[in-house]
Amino acid sequence: MLDGLVDTGARLPPGVLRVDRAGFDEVESSAWVFGLAANVLGCGLVAMFTDANVEAEIRRLISTW
């Protein structure tokens, strides 16, 4: 998660971000997919903190994949 958040270049405010849920499968888990999930999280958080439209920003991000 941390790598994915850093990769977004997200400018999050100071504080604590606690991710208290996770999923893992020995066969199907992928660091790449977890990175994408973290990118979506970072995008959503930045949108929330800047009063942007969260859904629109996430859709914009996903459209670049």
Side-chain angles (χ1 to χ4, degrees):
M1 287 300 289
L2 181 57
D3 289 342
L5 283 171
V6 170
D7 288 347
T8 66
R11 303 277 186 235
L12 298 175
V16 175
L17 173 64
R18 179 173 296 142
V19 177
D20 68 353
R21 297 289 185 268
F24 178 78
D25 182 306
E26 291 182 20
V27 177
E28 301 293 331
S29 291
S30 161
W32 178 72
V33 171
F34 287 123
L36 291 177
N39 276 244
V40 170
L41 174 63
C43 178
L45 289 172
V46 168
M48 284 176 32
F49 291 128
T50 60
D51 293 325
N53 183 317
V54 175
E55 184 176 348
E57 291 300 313
I58 290 175
R59 285 182 183 274
R60 183 192 54 74
L61 172 67
I62 291 172
S63 73
T64 66
W65 297 346

